[in-house]
Every structure is written in structure tokens, then in C-alpha cells.
Amino acid sequence: MEAMAISTVGPLGPTGGAAARGRAGERPLRLTRRGRAVLVLLAAVVLLLAARVGVAVASGPGEPLEVRVHVVSSGETLWELARGVAEPGEDLRDVVSGLAELNGLSSSGLQVGQRLLLPVDAE
């Protein structure tokens, strides 16, 4: 009878060979000063982006606003209408800006017969 030699082969080569001995003798991964600085900067960027996304998600639409429809008469201006709906002590420029945004206006000029949404007085 003849004798046969059997060798076992693993997925990365023969078991018990030089490859297995090399992995066992490797030292653990160590970061250099530059590597640590890069990791710290990367972590800071991730945290800043996460904070910014959190703010964007947290700020949703404002409270519902009750409005009425107003038809513009001859000689009326957006500033006069804003003066009529402004709260005491409220900056009139902010009210004009809010009315323009509410009505999708690109300027403060109005046309006779134009329909505007005006906030209802909270009494």
C-alpha cells in the first residue's frame, strides 16, 4: 500500500502556513498624531451637520393664521393695510414683509381690485 499525504486548505491558503503566523504576530493598529487630528476634525464635521439637520427638522410650519380677504381700493397701499393689522409696538416693516410673504407679493405695489389676505385681529 502506498501512503498519501493530505493537506488542508483554508479559504485564504494552507492552514498553519506563513500567512497564519504573520497575522498572529501583527501589532495592533496605532494612530499617528495626524491620524488623530483627522478623526477629531471628521467627528466635529459630523456633529455640526447633525446639529444643522436637527434644527431644520425641529423648525416646522408656524401656527395657523386666521385671515380675511380684502379687495384693494383706489389709493390703498400695503403700508396702510399693515398699519391697520399691526399689533401695538410691532415694527411696521415686519408687518409689511409678513403681508407680502402671505400674499406672495414680490413688491409692495398694489392694483385696484386685487384680493389680499389680511390677518384677522385677535380679540
Side-chain angles (χ1 to χ4, degrees):
M1 273 202 302
E2 291 182 25
M4 279 170 88
I6 299 176
S7 68
T8 57
V9 177
L12 298 177
T15 58
R21 283 191 303 267
R23 268 180 276 167
E26 288 180 359
R27 292 188 295 177
L29 179 65
R30 295 181 62 183
L31 287 176
T32 62
R33 181 179 290 164
R34 186 187 329 171
R36 284 190 293 270
V38 168
L39 282 178
V40 167
L41 287 174
L42 182 63
V45 168
V46 168
L47 287 174
L48 286 173
L49 289 175
R52 188 166 186 142
V53 168
V55 170
V57 170
S59 62
E63 293 183 24
L65 180 66
E66 188 177 353
V67 295
R68 63 182 169 89
V69 178
H70 174 79
V71 180
V72 177
S73 305
S74 178
E76 281 186 315
T77 66
L78 194 57
W79 287 87
E80 290 173 351
L81 295 172
R83 198 175 297 122
V85 297
E87 298 290 326
E90 192 173 11
D91 189 354
L92 197 56
R93 294 172 293 191
D94 292 337
V95 178
V96 169
S97 175
L99 288 177
E101 183 179 344
L102 178 65
N103 290 285
L105 303 175
S106 59
S107 70
S108 61
L110 300 177
Q111 302 288 327
V112 175
Q114 183 176 1
R115 295 175 182 267
L116 295 178
L117 298 176
L118 299 178
V120 175
D121 296 333
E123 295 177 4

